[in-house]
Amino acid sequence: MRVLIISDIHANLNALEAVLAATEKFDAAWCLGDLVGYGPDPNECVERVRSLPGLQCLVGNHDKAALGEIDLNAFNPDARAAVSWTQNALSPSTREYLQNLPEAIEMGKYTLVHGSPRQPVWEYILDARTALLCFPYFATSYCLIGHTHSPMIFSQEAEGGECKEKKPRNGERLILDNLRYIINSGSVGQPRDGNPEASYAVLDFGAAVWELRRVPYDVTATQLRMAGFDMPERLIARLTYGW
Ligand code: ZN
């Protein structure tokens, strides 16, 4: 079974479509949250994700914010403006779909969360120190996360042992062996690792091989749509650079 792993689409339909066009046929899609927020096409992105085969989908902090379930003061001014815009843009059917998404899912050897296994919606795992503290909080061998918008692989050899981190490159494969892993496949719609290309992963479930993918998309087209809605300039500009 081939699984498409996507996260943090953030209402960027051009990026999502580029990912889907670039990926060979897959049997299931695991979407790790933040379908909306920041970008100009929240309803279209949710609809597209819902059409994917074998879908497992989580809620993220921006999805919850768009539903009014999180205090807007928890966001910086630009993000707050984007959340307000999204709140007004959501259709009733999108709202209903987002409201029913879970915060965590287990699929065989994989635990899926948006942020971290100990705080599924909010915690950022940005470094090995934080990842080390999170390993005891999931029961499966591997944990798949999003939220930071930067692809990263954290590994631990033995319980309580040292945690290593590695930034994977486009096309890099990881054979999921006896180590425990926390793996972030980056963001489809708003990468923040200095590379503007959409970031995602493909998992060969049977062989347990994970592969990072990067794909360029029409950034300008997304930016023009955002400008048309008077979205914050900083949020528009960051897509060019991937920060
Ligand atoms: Zn996000």
Side-chain angles (χ1 to χ4, degrees), residues 8 10 33-34 38 61-62 114 147-149 192:
D8 298 276
H10 283 292
D34 276 6
Y38 293 128
N61 57 311
H62 276 264
H114 179 63
H147 194 38
T148 69
H149 297 205
R192 292 180 191 161

Side-chain angles (χ1 to χ4, degrees), residues 99-117:
Q99 266 160 359
N100 289 300
L101 293 177
E103 293 186 0
I105 299 175
E106 271 188 27
M107 296 294 288
K109 289 183 165 183
Y110 303 84
T111 296
L112 320 182
V113 290
H114 179 63
S116 87

Side-chain angles (χ1 to χ4, degrees), residues 16-17 207:
L16 176 61
E17 291 292 3

Side-chain angles (χ1 to χ4, degrees), residues 4 12 15 25 29 37 42 50 62 75 99-101 106 140 149 167 183 191-192 202 216 230 235 237:
L4 174 73
N12 189 340
K25 195 170 180 300
R50 291 176 73 173
H62 276 264
F75 293 88
Q99 266 160 359
N100 289 300
L101 293 177
E106 271 188 27
T140 58
H149 297 205
K167 191 181 166 207
I183 307 170
R192 292 180 191 161
V202 173
D230 278 333
L235 295 183

Side-chain angles (χ1 to χ4, degrees), residues 38-54:
Y38 293 128
D41 298 303
N43 298 311
E44 294 79 358
C45 283
V46 169
E47 203 172 307
R48 193 71 178 95
V49 167
R50 291 176 73 173
S51 76
L52 299 177

